Amino acid sequence: MTISKYLSITAIVFALTIPRQEAKETGDTSSEHNNKGVELAQQHQYEAAINEFNLAIKANPKSPKAYVNRGSIFRAMHAQAQDQQYDDAIKDFTKAIEIAPKDPSGYLERGQTLVMQKQYTDALTDLNKAAELKPDDMMAIRLRGFAEIGLGDWDKAAADFTTAIQKDPNDAQAYERRGFVYRSQKKFNEAIADYDKSLEIKPDPDVYTKRGYTYVTYLQNYEKGIADYQQALKINPNDYDTQQRLQYAQAALAGKNAPPAAATPASTPEPGLFTPMNIGIALAVLLVVIGIIFVIMRRRGGSDEEPTAAGPIR
């Protein structure tokens, strides 16, 4: 699961945790609109929820909850649209921080939004402040782990997700994220162990795919990787990327198990022209030719030197 996908799921977490009895206890119309906005947000009626939070802000311009809630809905809408335009959400969270600088929710929500925008350094500033104001809030710790992953600060990210796991041993997402960190550190056995735990708590096709990828790419354990990809596709059969990874793993396993090719015998080279025998024959022929030439030359030379025939005796 990507950071954006995970964070979009938790985009309105604070809106969903606002006390429902606050308006009844105080008679504050701002709180009434806040609570109504929460109900509408839970039903994914985002435009109507924003209208209620607008009314809450109008009734009490100093209500940080109304700004946090409206900012959360703005962010949820942008995350759903995947347009990455979070300026209105950032503006609301910043206003909440101005109104209540000791309230961690504004820092936490703005930090989360900055992580979604991949502004990790600025996000860490807000998330550290949120964790300082409310040390037992694991959401700040987990989100800080996301920012640290974005910065490649693996040791700190592992430490934060370990803290989250210690606080909640059934936090499947924290195991998955720490598994990703371990894999990035080339601690493949530790990564597999965390993926195992995450899947034990909550079977998730994304985690099956991540574990399968670790088996195939880093450990060359194609059988286990194939099993994980197949399990992921049982849950999400239309995942094209996992289909491609499965085909690759199957081809790699077939190649690994294929019998070795028979060695091709080396061809006997044709004898060349300049062999010792050919050279010997050539020398012999050359000597014979020289001998013949020498004899012919001697014969011609001898007739020239012979005396002319004597004339008749007188």
Side-chain angles (χ1 to χ4, degrees), residues 1-21:
M1 183 182 293
T2 64
I3 288 177
S4 295
K5 182 178 179 182
Y6 169 71
L7 293 182
S8 66
I9 293 172
T10 60
I12 57 174
V13 61
F14 280 95
L16 303 182
T17 58
I18 293 174
R20 294 279 293 114
Q21 298 299 319

Side-chain angles (χ1 to χ4, degrees), residues 203 205 208 211 225-236 242:
Y208 277 116
R211 190 175 68 178
I226 288 170
D228 274 347
Y229 290 150
Q230 290 173 335
Q231 187 62 40
L233 289 171
K234 285 182 182 179
I235 302 172
N236 185 9
T242 301

